[in-house]
Amino acid sequence: MDLPFAESYKIKMVEPIRKSSREERETWIKNATYNLFKLRSDQVFIDLLTDSGTGAMSDRQWSEMMLGDESYAGASSYFKMKDAIQSVLGFDYFLPTHQGRAAENVLFSVLIKEGDIIPGNSHFDTTKGHIEYRKAIAADCTIDEAFDTTLSHPFKGNVDAVKLENILKSKGDKIPFIIVTITCNSSGGQPVSIENLKMVRRLADKYGKMVVFDSARFAENAYFIKLREKGYQDKTIREIVLEMFACADAMTMSAKKDAIVNMGGFIAMRSKELHAKASVYNIMFEGYITYGGMSGRDMNALAQGLFEGTEFDYLETRIKQVEYLGKRLMDFGIPVQQPIGGHAVFVDAKRFLPHLPKEEFQAQTLAVELYLEAGVRGVEIGALLADRDPVTRENRYPALELMRLAIPRRVYTNNHMDVVAVALKNIYDRRDSIRKGLKIVDEAPIMRHFTVSLDLA
Ligand code: F0G
């Protein structure tokens, strides 16, 4: 008999979490105006709001914390991070930043001006925010398959070559660089193939453009390449990572994901000139170039995390857990984005609650139901997140209306995943009885989902 699969670590420290009653949760969610961001974390039993900064560090990372060098300039921790970036990702130059969006802010301050167009696969919200804030346009060139949740495609994060070349041809003078998000969070944690990254590189060279990777979940992307792309089965994750990044001129990184730290990020690049230009903004926005918003101990933990996050056994444990939850949901007949992504399971709320009008925010309604059912916190990736059209002020209804269940790294067991799956099944069984969704009572002009107040429709 084959031995069953088991985690590639054991647990040395635990954090108690508390179950609550449905009655308690009804009061709490009402007081939070049906916005899960406004709950206190101790009102949540299983927190799948995000996989960002919520992972468990290893004993080795905690040891590195003790070795942190807190010197203002030239700290050994900076050089530790530099060595890790050079050996794992292959970039010679880098700037630490306090998280991913800060890296975007610094790099885009150098590269983007008003009227520019930045093509890529579906841009993450903060990436898009930093582009639009500079009065530039984020052009989504993701393959069409990504927008049909029932379709199985091994690399739903891929960039469509025709869409990309069309825009390079027609608007080339307005394009400073192409950005590829690996894995593509907005389309469901879906990977991009090496073949596709090479295609982007070829087109970029043909039209003389830079390529930037938004790399938050680059290691999960490499894992999918090893499993799914022809010719990569016998390569190590590190070899694949280097081959991926060989297609890029620069990268932004939210280290809160695949470097398994609670806070941190960086920009890395090949060009000394770009490093010099970005250094000016880094000093203005983040901190001196050898710490850029991070403490020495955090840079040490990040460096260690880059090595651990690119180990096959760790990645296999990680992605198998996400897949486990996805499979349980699929066995119950619950509609999810297929195939299951790297960091999260995305439930298709349009197909889960088809009888609710889109004006009543199906995915948010589902997320509130899941919280009430079992104290599980997911997040809406749908019409609330999409905000209003900046010109018409009408609500925007995106192609996909999803509830994301993002799994923190090395934090929960599959028993927790079972609770989530059964809670959703219970809701699915009584879905027809959910007759009313939610309506907006009060909202901010942009990024409204964080602070919006809702009420029952
Ligand atoms: N790029 C991607 C693909 C992301 O998923 C995120 C963050 C960022 C950039 C920004 O990084 O948070 O460190 O400033 N994603 C989190 C999430 C917030 O929940 O998916 P950050």
Side-chain angles (χ1 to χ4, degrees):
M1 200 172 162
D2 287 341
L3 293 176
F5 181 77
E7 289 78 7
S8 63
Y9 48 79
K10 56 183 177 172
I11 297 164
K12 185 142 48 182
M13 192 188 277
V14 296
E15 175 183 342
I17 48 176
R18 181 180 163 268
K19 281 185 217 164
S20 51
S21 67
R22 189 175 171 110
E23 259 180 349
E24 283 177 312
R25 292 194 292 275
E26 277 170 3
T27 309
W28 293 335
I29 195 70
K30 192 162 182 261
N31 291 343
T33 62
Y34 301 93
N35 179 346
L36 296 142
F37 282 99
K38 293 189 190 170
L39 290 170
R40 290 170 54 122
S41 65
D42 59 6
Q43 296 168 338
V44 175
F45 180 46
I46 301 173
D47 203 348
L48 307 186
L49 185 69
T50 179
D51 64 321
S52 180
T54 51
M57 291 208 296
S58 68
D59 52 357
R60 275 136 246 234
Q61 285 179 292
W62 280 108
S63 319
E64 283 296 332
M65 295 286 276
M66 298 304 293
L67 299 172
D69 175 357
E70 306 303 341
S71 306
Y72 190 94
S76 66
S77 300
Y78 166 82
F79 291 102
K80 217 171 232 179
M81 196 165 148
K82 186 175 170 66
D83 289 346
I85 289 170
Q86 239 157 4
S87 87
V88 176
L89 308 167
F91 289 95
D92 287 339
Y93 298 97
F94 95 102
L95 289 166
T97 62
H98 78 273
Q99 62 184 88
R101 67 199 70 182
E104 292 163 359
N105 189 29
V106 170
L107 186 66
F108 295 180
S109 293
V110 180
L111 297 179
I112 300 180
K113 59 180 192 317
E114 189 173 333
D116 281 352
I117 300 170
I118 321 296
N121 53 356
S122 299
H123 308 62
F124 182 67
D125 338 338
T126 60
T127 318
K128 198 172 177 180
H130 276 296
I131 292 170
E132 291 180 349
Y133 176 72
R134 290 171 172 80
K135 298 195 165 54
I137 296 165
D140 190 344
C141 299
T142 313
I143 55 168
D144 290 334
E145 286 90 333
F147 302 103
D148 180 348
T149 59
T150 61
L151 238 163
S152 216
H153 181 292
F155 294 102
K156 269 189 172 175
N158 277 359
V159 178
D160 186 305
V162 176
K163 289 183 197 173
L164 180 62
E165 180 144 30
N166 280 345
I167 199 161
L168 283 165
K169 227 185 253 168
S170 60
K171 306 267 169 57
D173 55 325
K174 294 204 175 311
I175 297 175
F177 63 94
I178 303 162
I179 190 158
V180 188
T181 305
I182 49 173
T183 57
C184 189
N185 188 359
S186 306
S187 67
Q190 299 292 324
V192 181
S193 70
I194 285 263
E195 190 190 11
N196 196 255
L197 294 176
K198 289 186 173 161
M199 175 281 290
V200 171
R201 179 75 264 169
R202 269 196 310 276
L203 284 180
D205 288 343
K206 183 170 166 192
Y207 292 89
K209 303 297 172 196
M210 273 180 67
V211 176
V212 176
F213 286 176
D214 175 356
S215 321
R217 301 177 182 87
F218 73 93
E220 293 173 2
N221 199 86
Y223 175 86
F224 283 120
I225 289 172
K226 183 173 168 74
L227 258 69
R228 295 181 185 166
E229 193 158 354
K230 207 167 150 262
Y232 287 88
Q233 278 65 42
D234 296 328
K235 300 212 174 181
T236 65
I237 296 291
R238 297 255 168 81
E239 286 168 339
I240 296 171
V241 166
L242 284 172
E243 200 172 326
M244 279 162 42
F245 281 106
C247 301
D249 300 289
M251 63 176 286
T252 54
M253 176 75 184
S254 168
K256 302 168 73 170
K257 285 86 168 172
D258 277 359
I260 330 177
V261 287
N262 303 117
M263 193 54 74
F266 57 90
I267 312 163
M269 62 280 271
R270 297 194 199 288
S271 154
K272 195 176 171 183
E273 289 70 39
L274 180 59
H275 178 265
K277 284 185 186 159
S279 294
V280 177
Y281 292 101
N282 217 59
I283 292 169
M284 271 203 302
F285 299 149
E286 291 294 297
Y288 182 60
I289 55 174
T290 63
Y291 74 87
M294 293 187 72
S295 45
R297 53 182 170 271
D298 287 337
M299 290 196 279
N300 271 18
L302 194 165
Q304 172 64 21
L306 280 178
F307 290 109
E308 284 178 22
T310 48
E311 276 167 16
F312 179 80
D313 287 354
Y314 152 74
L315 282 165
E316 186 180 37
T317 298
R318 154 85 179 141
I319 295 188
K320 281 205 162 161
Q321 181 169 52
V322 180
E323 198 179 43
Y324 175 82
L325 175 61
K327 276 199 178 132
R328 290 231 48 190
L329 296 181
M330 278 152 66
D331 288 346
F332 290 138
I334 295 169
V336 295
Q337 167 74 300
Q338 291 184 42
I340 304 301
H343 68 295
V345 178
F346 291 71
V347 181
D348 187 336
K350 263 192 211 171
R351 283 162 56 218
F352 197 114
L353 296 171
H355 54 282
L356 278 194
K358 64 181 188 310
E359 290 77 11
E360 293 184 13
F361 304 107
Q362 295 138 306
Q364 182 69 12
T365 302
L366 181 56
V368 168
E369 282 293 331
L370 180 59
Y371 174 69
L372 286 171
E373 180 73 23
V376 175
R377 173 158 71 170
V379 74
E380 189 249 23
I381 309 266
L384 273 181
L385 181 87
D387 272 329
R388 290 177 187 273
D389 184 288
V391 180
T392 65
R393 300 308 297 158
E394 290 298 318
N395 277 316
R396 288 193 281 209
Y397 295 100
L400 294 177
E401 175 75 15
L402 305 167
M403 176 184 65
R404 185 183 78 171
L405 303 168
I407 320 285
R409 294 166 181 77
R410 307 191 285 213
V411 170
Y412 292 112
T413 67
N414 283 4
N415 289 333
H416 294 109
M417 298 302 116
D418 287 337
V419 171
V420 178
V422 172
L424 261 179
K425 180 202 179 320
N426 292 345
I427 301 168
Y428 197 56
D429 288 347
R430 60 173 167 78
R431 62 190 182 280
D432 290 338
S433 70
I434 301 170
R435 304 309 308 176
K436 277 200 181 306
L438 297 161
K439 63 174 184 215
I440 294 178
V441 178
D442 189 35
E443 65 184 291
I446 48 166
M447 300 263 177
R448 65 180 180 186
H449 62 291
F450 289 116
T451 53
V452 68
S453 296
L454 300 157
D455 203 350
L456 304 176

